[in-house]
Amino acid sequence: MTNGSTKRSANPTREPLGRPRLKIGEGYISGYLSILFGLISLGGVGCFLFPDYLTTPGFREQYPLDLLRGLLLGCLLFSFLFALLSLVLCRTKVLSLIGALTSATAILLGGAGVEIKQFDQPGFFISLDWLILDLLVLALIFIPLELFLPKRLRQSKLHSEWKTDLIYFAIGHLFVQVVAVAVQSPASYFFGGLPLGGLREWTVGLPFLVQLPMALALTDVFQWTIHRLFHAVPYLWRFHAVHHSIRAVDWLAGSRLHFVDIVVTRAFSYTPLYVLGFSTEVFYLYVVVVSLQAVMAHANTRIEFGPLKYLLVTPQYHHWHHSDDPEFFNKNFAIHFPLIDWIMGTYHLPGKEWPESMGLGGVKLPQGYLRQFAYPFFEDPSGAGEEG
C-alpha cells in the first residue's frame, strides 16, 4: 500500500497543543535559552580542544578564529544573563541552575581563551562545529521569528516531541560531512567512467555565481525525484512517514528525518555535484543554503514573502506538503524552486490559505528517537493503529 492510500483523516479542529504556549515574562524561555547557549559554549570549547575529532576538515582552515572566540564569549555571557533572568522570573530554579552549571563547565575547560590542541588525523570525526554554528545561527533567526510572528498561535514552542526533534537535529548535522564523504567514492566508482570530461571542464570553468544557482537547480530536480519516490514506493514510505508524522511543524521539527531517509536523499542530491565537477566551495555553500531553506520551509511563521513565494519554497508552500488531507499530501515536493512542481504537475498554492492541520491523521507512530528509528523496519505506517 502506498502512502497515497494510507488511511488518514483530516481533522481541522485538532491542534498539536502539547504544553501551553510559553509566554514572555515567566522565565521559562530565559531558562531554556540559558541552557542552549551553555551547551553551544561547551561544544565550542570541545571543538577547540579536540579539532581533529570534532570539526569538519573542509572548514578548519577557513575559520576566523578571533571571530569564533568572540562568539564563544558572547554565548557564555548570554547563558549567564538568561540564567539570572530565569532565576528571578521563573518559579522553578532548575533551568537557570542547569544553564549556569553548563557555562561554568565550559569556562573551567578554557572558556573563550581555550588553546587549540592538535592531534594526529583520526580515521573518524563528527561535524560538531557544523552542528554548533548551524544551531546558533538558526536559533537566533527562527526562535524570535516563531515567538513574535507565529502562524499557529496555539502551537506550543515545547510540544511533546521537541526533545526528540532536537536529537534528530543533532544527528542530522553531526554526520552531514560523513555522509558527504561516504557518497563521494561510490559516485566516482559508478559514474567516473562516463564520458563527461568536456562537461566537467565546462562546469569547472564557470564562475562561482553561475555554478551555485546551477547546483541548486540540479540538486532540486534530483531531490524532487527521490522525494517523490519516498512517497510512491511503499517500503521507502515507511521511512519518510517518520518525517510526515510531525503535527507541530516548526523550524526544529523539520529535522525529523529517519537516518535512512537522510542518507538516501543526500546521496541522491550530492552525486550530480561530484559527477559534474562543481567546486568544493559551491558544494559547501550548497549544504549551507539547503540547510537554511529546509528549516525555513518548516518554520511556524505567518510571513508570506510576497512575490518570492512563487519563486522559492516558503513555509506556506511546504506546509501544504505536510497537510494531513490526502488531497494535498502528494503536492509540493520541491525543496528550493516551486517551478519544478509546476512542471511536474504537483504544484499547490491556493492564494493565502494554509492547511488546517498536519501530520498523518489517524496514524500513530511511537514517540522517541530510538523507537522511531526501529519502527519502519518492522511496521508499516499504512496499517498503523488509530490514535486514541
Side-chain angles (χ1 to χ4, degrees):
M1 181 183 296
T2 65
N3 72 301
S5 57
T6 297
K7 293 182 180 179
R8 296 184 307 275
S9 58
N11 184 356
T13 63
R14 186 186 66 220
E15 286 285 348
L17 296 180
R19 302 169 182 172
R21 181 174 173 81
L22 296 180
K23 298 178 181 178
I24 296 176
E26 294 179 341
Y28 289 99
I29 294 176
S30 300
Y32 285 114
L33 287 176
S34 174
I35 296 173
L36 173 64
F37 282 112
L39 290 174
I40 289 175
S41 301
L42 186 59
V45 171
C47 288
F48 276 97
L49 290 175
F50 308 104
D52 289 344
Y53 293 93
L54 300 180
T55 64
T56 308
F59 293 165
R60 291 172 192 161
E61 302 300 325
Q62 310 300 323
Y63 283 136
L65 294 181
D66 290 339
L67 176 60
L68 292 182
R69 290 186 185 278
L71 286 175
L72 180 53
L73 178 60
C75 288
L76 288 168
L77 292 175
F78 274 117
S79 180
F80 281 113
L81 176 63
F82 283 121
L84 179 60
L85 194 59
S86 179
L87 183 66
V88 173
L89 297 176
C90 194
R91 290 178 296 177
T92 176
K93 311 305 178 185
V94 174
L95 297 179
S96 59
L97 180 61
I98 294 175
L101 287 177
T102 305
S103 298
T105 303
I107 292 175
L108 290 175
L109 292 174
V114 62
E115 295 183 4
I116 299 177
K117 296 185 179 181
Q118 297 293 338
F119 301 87
D120 294 333
Q121 180 66 38
F124 179 78
F125 66 92
I126 58 175
S127 299
L128 182 60
D129 56 335
W130 170 247
L131 168 63
I132 291 171
L133 291 173
D134 210 22
L135 180 59
L136 178 60
V137 171
L138 295 177
L140 290 175
I141 294 173
F142 291 105
I143 288 178
L145 196 65
E146 292 190 347
L147 190 63
F148 297 109
L149 295 171
K151 173 59 182 177
R152 293 174 173 81
L153 296 176
R154 298 177 63 208
Q155 181 170 302
S156 171
K157 295 307 301 173
L158 295 175
H159 54 82
S160 60
E161 293 190 282
W162 75 271
K163 294 178 182 177
T164 299
D165 291 335
L166 187 59
I167 294 174
Y168 276 107
F169 184 95
I171 291 177
H173 288 73
L174 283 175
F175 298 104
V176 61
Q177 181 68 10
V178 175
V179 174
V181 172
V183 171
Q184 190 169 15
S185 294
S188 300
Y189 177 80
F190 287 106
F191 303 105
L194 295 177
L196 300 174
L199 183 58
R200 287 175 60 88
E201 291 179 4
W202 177 76
T203 303
V204 171
L206 292 173
F208 175 86
L209 293 179
V210 176
Q211 281 195 41
L212 181 60
M214 283 182 57
L216 291 171
L218 182 63
T219 54
D220 208 9
V221 171
F222 274 74
Q223 192 152 331
W224 183 99
T225 303
I226 193 62
H227 192 178
R228 187 70 185 89
L229 287 174
F230 265 105
H231 277 250
V233 178
Y235 192 73
L236 291 179
W237 169 247
R238 290 186 176 204
F239 299 97
H240 194 58
V242 172
H243 182 63
H244 278 267
S245 68
I246 304 168
R247 291 171 55 183
V249 177
D250 59 19
W251 75 275
L252 186 59
S255 297
R256 191 189 303 181
L257 287 163
H258 194 280
F259 194 72
V260 171
D261 196 341
I262 293 175
V263 172
V264 174
T265 299
R266 287 180 181 167
F268 215 74
S269 303
Y270 292 167
T271 296
L273 299 181
Y274 289 133
V275 172
L276 296 180
F278 285 90
S279 69
T280 302
E281 293 76 15
V282 168
F283 175 82
Y284 281 121
L285 189 55
Y286 159 75
V287 172
V288 173
V289 171
V290 73
S291 297
L292 180 63
Q293 191 165 8
V295 171
M296 169 61 79
H298 294 89
N300 175 33
T301 176
R302 61 177 177 267
I303 298 176
E304 296 185 358
F305 294 89
L308 280 177
K309 69 181 182 180
Y310 301 108
L311 301 176
L312 300 174
V313 170
T314 63
Q316 181 192 13
Y317 187 81
H318 192 68
H319 281 207
W320 278 107
H321 181 70
H322 281 272
S323 170
D324 64 356
D325 189 334
E327 182 179 353
F328 310 116
F329 199 79
N330 290 308
K331 301 289 184 180
N332 300 358
F333 293 99
I335 302 301
H336 300 297
F337 306 113
L339 177 63
I340 297 174
D341 280 306
W342 185 80
I343 294 173
M344 298 297 185
T346 53
Y347 179 92
H348 180 74
L349 188 61
K352 295 186 177 182
E353 296 180 22
W354 292 64
E356 292 287 348
S357 57
M358 294 171 284
L360 292 174
V363 177
K364 183 178 181 180
L365 268 66
Q367 292 194 359
Y369 179 82
L370 293 178
R371 290 189 180 95
Q372 291 181 4
F373 180 87
Y375 181 85
F377 295 104
F378 303 101
E379 301 288 345
D380 182 356
S382 300
E386 296 295 315
E387 288 183 332

